[in-house]
Amino acid sequence: MSGSLVHQTPQATARALERELNRYRAVFDNAGAGTIISEADMTISLANDEFSRMSGYARGDIEGKMPWTRIVAFPEDREKMIRYHRTRRIAPEHAPRDYEFTLKDSGGGHKQIIARVAMIPGTDKSVGSFIDVSPILRAREALLHRENKKLRRALGKGTRFCGIVGKSPAMAEVYELILRAAAADVNVIIYGESGTGKELAAKAIHTMSDRSDKPFIPVHCGAIPPNLMESEFFGVRQGAFTGALKNRPGLLDLAHHGTLFLDELGEMDLNFQVKLLRVLEGAGYMPVGGRQVKIPDIRIVAATNRNLNQLVKAGKMREDFFYRIHILPLYLPPLRERKEDIPLLVSHFLEKYQAGITALPGHLMASLQAHDWPGNVRELENTLQRYISLDNLDILGSGTPAASQALPSPGRGDASLKTALNRFEKAYITNILNQNQWNRKTTAEALSIGRKTLYMKMRNLGINRPGQT
């Protein structure tokens, strides 16, 4: 522009400058984002219409009068911006800075803003652009609310949640905590006895989170020797030691952008806790034999059947490491505290192993529900596998196998086959009714017949509850 103004009269030069300014102002005013230019003291010298609309202040009340930090609602955000302004005056080449903050408009209303502020080269002025993302956040919140309601309705009707089986009140609380943990991208620690399904819960948290399309990497902390922890987690560079013939990624590399599941966290080597703590604090790590620091984007979900507080007191776990992991705790109940879920679990495992049956006889189910299950769901699954393979419900530690109990006798051998079958059927049905306290609905389910069929058989066979005629 300066070349075109050479040899012009002062009046012509002023008109040319005014035309250039008007063109610049037209572009500035029609920018999609709220845009300002501010002076060295952060006073707004120029603001476009979108910024005026966003802030609620008229241009006449903004330009030359208002520092742009006045629209920042919270003091801590305001202090960050002032610190950056001071820094860029000392180091003008400093890169543009992005901010997320809450704007307070002239009417006291609040908006969520994403802003970018940068120096104008060769001047002490700054240019800032502001985008109101409140409508996007509200739409996302509404979508999440709808999805959450849909999910909760499904939980209320179903018996399975991300591979976890159960509908008891204790499991309903677990599902609620899984949903909360999935929504909050923070480290989670899952407590529970062996066999309660801690890895299933960890996978559910991952599946319901924003990281669901990224890797889920499980690792058993007690299965890795202490001298191999660093190479397994951080990876190895070629030539780091004898036998390191090529670069090998570590578990942190594999879990980048996803979830790293640390099973049996209480078994992790104390010395390695220091190194992993640096990663959790944002300092990153270097592969064995490498020189470049890597900063992983991972979410830690850990699990243990041990009391971590006691490990800290005993000096077997670092206190600072414990607090980095123990942000959001989740407790899985043992099977003995949710025995109402045993029939659902039995059906699930019979279906899983394609046993060809959908339910167990009532006396066998009663035996399962009477057991305390110290090995929890894993023990129940193993017991059912033995039953399917051997046709014998051998519950370890419960004494006599349930399937070895004598069945009702068909009676003497001097009757016809039909009479013997009727005697056996009557005795068998009566036995199952006794085991189920004469609850006909439960008995019918145990026999895998309809209630009407049971009523008809009871009438035809003359089966009456003791004390009834």
Side-chain angles (χ1 to χ4, degrees):
M1 183 178 72
S2 58
S4 63
L5 300 178
V6 177
H7 306 305
Q8 291 188 6
T9 64
Q11 294 83 357
T13 300
R15 287 195 297 272
L17 285 171
E18 185 176 0
R19 286 195 299 272
E20 289 292 326
L21 181 60
N22 288 337
R23 280 198 292 269
Y24 172 74
R25 186 75 193 228
V27 173
F28 186 74
D29 283 343
N30 288 286
T35 308
I36 61 167
I37 292 175
S38 62
E39 303 299 320
D41 62 357
M42 304 183 79
T43 299
I44 299 172
S45 57
L46 199 61
N48 69 355
D49 289 337
E50 177 60 20
F51 183 85
S52 176
R53 183 201 64 76
M54 184 185 297
S55 66
Y57 293 96
R59 268 182 164 172
D61 297 325
I62 297 174
E63 295 179 342
K65 299 177 182 178
M66 179 190 294
W68 65 268
T69 50
R70 182 185 297 179
I71 65 170
V72 181
F74 300 116
E76 56 268 26
D77 291 332
R78 195 178 305 122
E79 286 300 319
K80 287 180 184 177
M81 295 173 181
I82 291 172
R83 281 199 300 272
Y84 166 66
H85 184 74
R86 290 171 182 164
T87 302
R88 66 92 179 168
R89 293 186 69 188
I90 297 170
E93 72 281 0
H94 198 64
R97 180 66 60 89
D98 293 333
Y99 298 102
E100 294 182 23
F101 69 95
T102 301
L103 178 149
K104 184 177 180 180
D105 62 28
S106 61
H110 289 78
K111 301 179 176 72
Q112 293 304 121
I113 301 296
I114 293 178
R116 167 162 285 196
V117 181
M119 280 195 63
I120 299 176
T123 74
D124 60 356
K125 302 177 187 293
S126 298
V127 60
S129 58
F130 303 79
I131 299 175
D132 180 6
V133 295
S134 300
I136 299 172
L137 294 178
R138 284 195 296 270
R140 183 184 180 193
E141 184 177 348
L143 177 61
L144 288 174
H145 181 68
R146 288 195 299 271
E147 290 297 319
N148 204 14
K149 284 180 66 176
K150 186 189 302 181
L151 182 59
R152 291 179 195 282
R153 283 197 300 270
L155 283 177
K157 296 176 182 178
T159 59
R160 301 184 188 185
F161 174 70
C162 294
I164 306 172
V165 178
K167 200 178 179 182
S168 61
M171 291 309 296
E173 291 183 15
V174 169
Y175 300 152
E176 179 75 25
L177 286 170
I178 286 174
L179 290 174
R180 292 182 183 180
D185 195 33
V186 297
N187 295 336
V188 178
I189 177 73
I190 303 172
Y191 293 97
E193 296 178 8
S194 179
T196 51
K198 295 186 288 294
E199 184 167 349
L200 280 177
K203 284 182 179 177
I205 291 171
H206 174 76
T207 300
M208 299 303 299
S209 74
D210 290 340
R211 298 176 182 265
S212 59
D213 59 338
K214 299 298 188 281
F216 175 86
I217 305 297
V219 53
H220 193 299
C221 297
I224 303 175
N227 62 320
L228 296 181
M229 277 282 191
E230 190 170 352
S231 60
E232 288 296 313
F233 275 81
F234 299 161
V236 176
R237 303 301 296 175
Q238 182 179 357
F241 49 77
T242 303
L245 302 179
K246 61 180 181 179
N247 294 339
R248 177 166 59 83
L251 294 166
L252 297 183
D253 297 309
L254 299 176
H256 190 52
H257 296 308
T259 301
L260 182 65
F261 174 53
L262 302 178
D263 196 11
E264 298 307 336
L265 182 72
E267 307 298 326
M268 180 174 284
D269 177 65
L270 189 62
N271 292 324
F272 185 70
Q273 291 176 24
V274 181
K275 298 176 181 179
L276 187 57
L277 178 63
R278 284 182 53 80
V279 178
L280 298 178
E281 290 176 338
Y285 65 95
M286 285 192 294
V288 176
R291 296 182 178 179
Q292 183 179 2
V293 174
K294 293 185 175 184
I295 308 293
D297 172 20
I298 57 173
R299 192 220 195 142
I300 299 290
V301 177
T304 184
N305 60 5
R306 305 179 68 182
N307 187 319
L308 297 187
N309 274 306
Q310 290 182 359
L311 292 182
V312 171
K313 291 176 182 178
K316 297 180 179 180
M317 175 169 283
R318 292 179 58 93
E319 188 174 21
D320 46 5
F321 180 73
F322 168 77
Y323 285 117
R324 277 289 176 180
I325 293 292
H326 189 92
I327 295 177
L328 204 164
L330 190 154
Y331 300 87
L332 292 183
L335 187 54
R336 63 182 174 275
E337 293 180 7
R338 58 180 188 107
K339 287 190 174 182
E340 58 265 57
D341 288 331
I342 288 178
L344 299 175
L345 288 163
V346 169
S347 296
H348 167 70
F349 290 128
L350 292 177
E351 177 185 337
K352 176 181 177 180
Y353 294 111
Q354 299 178 347
I357 54 176
T358 58
L360 294 180
H363 69 289
L364 298 185
M365 186 65 74
S367 297
L368 294 178
Q369 292 187 299
H371 188 51
D372 275 343
W373 300 107
N376 294 293
V377 178
R378 184 183 295 123
E379 182 189 355
L380 174 63
E381 181 176 6
N382 292 342
T383 299
L384 289 169
Q385 281 187 284
R386 286 195 299 274
Y387 172 73
I388 293 167
S389 301
L390 305 175
D391 194 25
N392 181 24
L393 192 64
D394 182 11
I395 302 175
L396 298 180
S398 65
T400 305
S404 67
Q405 297 170 2
L407 292 173
S409 171
R412 302 181 305 276
D414 58 353
S416 66
L417 178 60
K418 182 177 181 181
T419 301
L421 289 174
N422 285 340
R423 287 175 182 170
F424 177 84
E425 189 172 17
K426 179 178 180 178
Y428 187 78
I429 292 174
T430 303
N431 185 44
I432 303 302
L433 282 164
N434 284 325
Q435 290 174 10
N436 290 295
Q437 291 78 46
W438 286 77
N439 184 309
R440 298 182 182 185
K441 179 177 181 295
T442 306
T443 299
E445 291 175 352
L447 295 169
S448 299
I449 60 176
R451 275 184 289 179
K452 290 183 178 179
T453 304
L454 175 62
Y455 298 157
M456 182 181 67
K457 286 182 176 293
M458 290 176 66
R459 185 175 65 249
N460 294 340
L461 295 168
I463 300 174
N464 295 305
R465 186 167 187 168
Q468 294 181 347
T469 58

